[in-house]
Amino acid sequence: MSGTGAPDLTVVGGAGHVGVPLVLAFARAGLRVNINDLNRCALDELAAGRLAFLEQDAEPLLAAALKDKRLAFSTSPAEITAGAPVIVTIGTPVDEFLNPVRKVVQACIDDLLPWLSEGQLLILRSTLYPGTTDWIAGYLERQGKRLKVAFCPERVVQGQGIRELGQMPQIVSGVSPEAEEEAARLFGLIAPEIVRVKPAEAELAKLFNNAYRYIEFATTNQFYLIAKSGGLDYGAIHGAMRHHYPRAKGIPSAGLAAGPCLFKDTMQLAAFAQNQFTLGQAAMLINEGIVLRIIDDLRARFDLAPLTVGLLGMDFKADIDDTRASLSYKFKNMLSGLAGKVLTTDPFVRTDPDLTPLEDVVERSDLLILCTPHSAYRGVDLKGKPVVDIWRFLDGANRLP
Ligand SMILES: NC(=O)c1ccc[n+]([C@@H]2O[C@H](COP(=O)([O-])OP(=O)(O)OC[C@H]3O[C@@H](n4cnc5c(N)ncnc54)[C@H](O)[C@@H]3O)[C@@H](O)[C@H]2O)c1
């Protein structure tokens, strides 16, 4: 491990999207943090003061943390800080059949096991299949390790974690009163308010938060599709519904709802509910299906075969540089079998060699689809090309009805 002095805590997976804002929030609070991550390149980037992805307000905090020597970097489980709290950001993924893969978290705990000591605080941070926290505490005990196991879920918006960590209540749960108390004390250093519940309740609170959001997006997307099939403008209806009407204020605009969390967490909840989560499963059909509905609509209007279609924005949401589970790639995949050519562009993505500069895409495309409403696209001259803009983001564009 690099750096001097014993860190106050270790964040496992600390170089990832969940880890980095958390590490920086603790460093800002004056703690010394051991960033433990298998990805050596990501650690080297952080050690050099560079962020591998967009995270608002992170750069100056990283610079300050490095200057004050508050960060240590380690790649091996053997290098977690002895006796100090360990926060694990690794969560339960779902597989291609939408079943939770429990062994991912277990494998991470197995790796840490030899280096964890009696009474150490182990905080699980990422989304977990319900029951995992209690199961891990029991599993550790069966291996002869009695740890203080807590679950304190991450709930920040990606890219704005630093701001939100300092503003949002932190849900804290522990398998024992001591675990809960120590976790509450630690998170009390960075969160304005602590909400205490049992581990199983915290696990469901996290999943319900994300599934609810996913259902909200599906609701507005279904309204959009209903309005569209009736030949009506959902943007105008959405505006009228919300105008000075407080109960409709929170209805989001129609758009592509994707990313690494909402879909996965909704499916995780469906698995927990023995596939009886009808609202969540319907939300998945709508949010994932909207791409196919838009393409069907385009096929009804145009002969796509000779046309070049340009996709604007490849990230899963606006103004971030994260393409994980982005529906833009579903568009690309489906359209590449139908259109003459598909061009893609994005102002943030650095990892996709197929991207083309925006001006070229606009110039060469017969038809455009706004996949991600990045701020950079506001006011861009689309040269009168017809554009699918389900977000109703592009003022003055030749928007297809
Ligand atoms: N991104 C979000 O906004 C968000 C929010 C809440 C929950 N989650 C969940 O949190 C988890 C992590 O998400 P993320 O977005 O941070 O992913 P990420 O891929 O950005 O980061 C994960 C990091 O963990 C590292 N890692 C993986 N296994 C490791 C191990 N055994 N030991 C040490 N390091 C390890 C990886 O190298 C990577 O740097 C996922 O389960 C995700 O669904 C993400």
Side-chain angles (χ1 to χ4, degrees), residues 93-99 101 263:
V94 294
D95 66 14
E96 67 270 41
F97 308 108
L98 306 179
N99 295 314
V101 188
F263 173 97

Side-chain angles (χ1 to χ4, degrees), residues 81-157:
T81 306
V86 178
I87 302 181
V88 173
T89 69
I90 314 308
T92 314
V94 294
D95 66 14
E96 67 270 41
F97 308 108
L98 306 179
N99 295 314
V101 188
R102 303 182 62 149
K103 64 174 189 249
V104 171
V105 179
Q106 183 179 345
C108 176
I109 299 297
D110 280 341
D111 288 344
L112 294 170
L113 197 62
W115 318 103
L116 294 167
S117 53
E118 192 74 16
Q120 194 163 357
L121 178 63
L122 175 71
I123 300 181
L124 306 165
R125 177 68 171 157
S126 188
T127 317
L128 298 176
Y129 184 75
T132 301
T133 308
D134 285 329
W135 183 84
I136 285 176
Y139 178 70
L140 287 166
E141 216 168 312
R142 289 194 292 280
Q143 320 294 314
K145 293 269 166 86
R146 287 167 61 89
L147 272 83
K148 299 187 191 101
V149 180
F151 174 59
C152 304
E154 164 78 345
R155 293 190 301 159
V156 297
V157 164

Side-chain angles (χ1 to χ4, degrees), residues 12-13 15-18 36-39 89-91 108 126-127 154 156 158 206 260-261 264 324:
V12 175
H17 290 81
V18 170
N36 183 271
D37 202 294
L38 299 177
N39 187 340
T89 69
I90 314 308
C108 176
S126 188
T127 317
E154 164 78 345
V156 297
Q158 191 165 320
K206 164 69 195 182
C261 288
K264 164 185 70 81
R324 290 180 297 173

Side-chain angles (χ1 to χ4, degrees), residues 114-373:
W115 318 103
L116 294 167
S117 53
E118 192 74 16
Q120 194 163 357
L121 178 63
L122 175 71
I123 300 181
L124 306 165
R125 177 68 171 157
S126 188
T127 317
L128 298 176
Y129 184 75
T132 301
T133 308
D134 285 329
W135 183 84
I136 285 176
Y139 178 70
L140 287 166
E141 216 168 312
R142 289 194 292 280
Q143 320 294 314
K145 293 269 166 86
R146 287 167 61 89
L147 272 83
K148 299 187 191 101
V149 180
F151 174 59
C152 304
E154 164 78 345
R155 293 190 301 159
V156 297
V157 164
Q158 191 165 320
Q160 296 172 39
I162 308 248
R163 180 178 53 78
E164 289 206 345
L165 282 171
Q167 291 176 346
M168 283 197 332
Q170 174 64 52
I171 294 176
V172 167
S173 66
V175 295
S176 64
E178 297 76 28
E180 181 188 300
E181 188 52 38
E182 277 190 33
R185 220 177 305 134
L186 186 62
F187 274 98
L189 298 173
I190 59 167
E193 190 183 350
I194 300 294
V195 180
R196 297 173 187 241
V197 284
K198 296 190 188 100
E201 293 167 344
E203 289 164 346
L204 278 183
K206 164 69 195 182
L207 288 176
F208 285 167
N209 269 145
N210 274 2
Y212 189 80
R213 190 80 181 128
Y214 196 60
I215 291 165
E216 269 186 335
F217 288 133
T219 305
T220 200
N221 283 342
Q222 184 145 53
F223 289 165
Y224 164 82
L225 291 170
I226 292 170
K228 194 165 157 45
S229 64
L232 296 163
D233 177 359
Y234 181 59
I237 299 167
H238 183 252
M241 279 156 67
R242 288 164 35 112
H243 185 69
H244 291 174
Y245 190 67
R247 285 172 291 289
K249 235 176 123 73
I251 302 178
S253 75
L256 304 183
C261 288
L262 299 187
F263 173 97
K264 164 185 70 81
D265 290 356
T266 305
M267 293 305 100
Q268 187 124 226
L269 197 50
F272 180 66
Q274 286 94 38
N275 278 328
Q276 302 302 308
F277 184 22
T278 22
L279 268 178
Q281 283 155 324
M284 185 269 272
L285 298 180
I286 295 162
N287 287 333
E288 288 288 308
I290 200 161
V291 170
L292 308 176
R293 293 284 298 270
I294 291 169
I295 292 174
D296 260 3
D297 188 57
L298 288 175
R299 292 178 77 188
R301 287 160 185 265
F302 303 97
D303 174 13
L304 292 177
L307 300 187
T308 296
V309 181
L311 304 181
L312 309 182
M314 303 307 285
D315 297 300
F316 79 81
K317 74 183 183 93
D319 297 335
I320 60 166
D321 56 352
D322 193 342
T323 58
R324 290 180 297 173
S326 168
L327 286 175
S328 306
Y329 287 91
K330 186 163 179 163
F331 264 122
K332 182 183 177 187
N333 184 33
M334 301 307 295
L335 282 168
S336 53
L338 298 168
K341 192 159 187 56
V342 180
L343 298 174
T344 56
T345 187
D346 192 282
F348 299 112
V349 178
R350 298 280 167 268
T351 48
D352 179 348
D354 288 347
L355 298 184
T356 304
L358 174 64
E359 301 72 37
D360 291 358
V361 171
V362 172
E363 192 63 48
R364 292 164 57 194
S365 297
D366 303 297
L367 188 60
L368 297 165
I369 300 175
L370 179 69
C371 297
T372 318

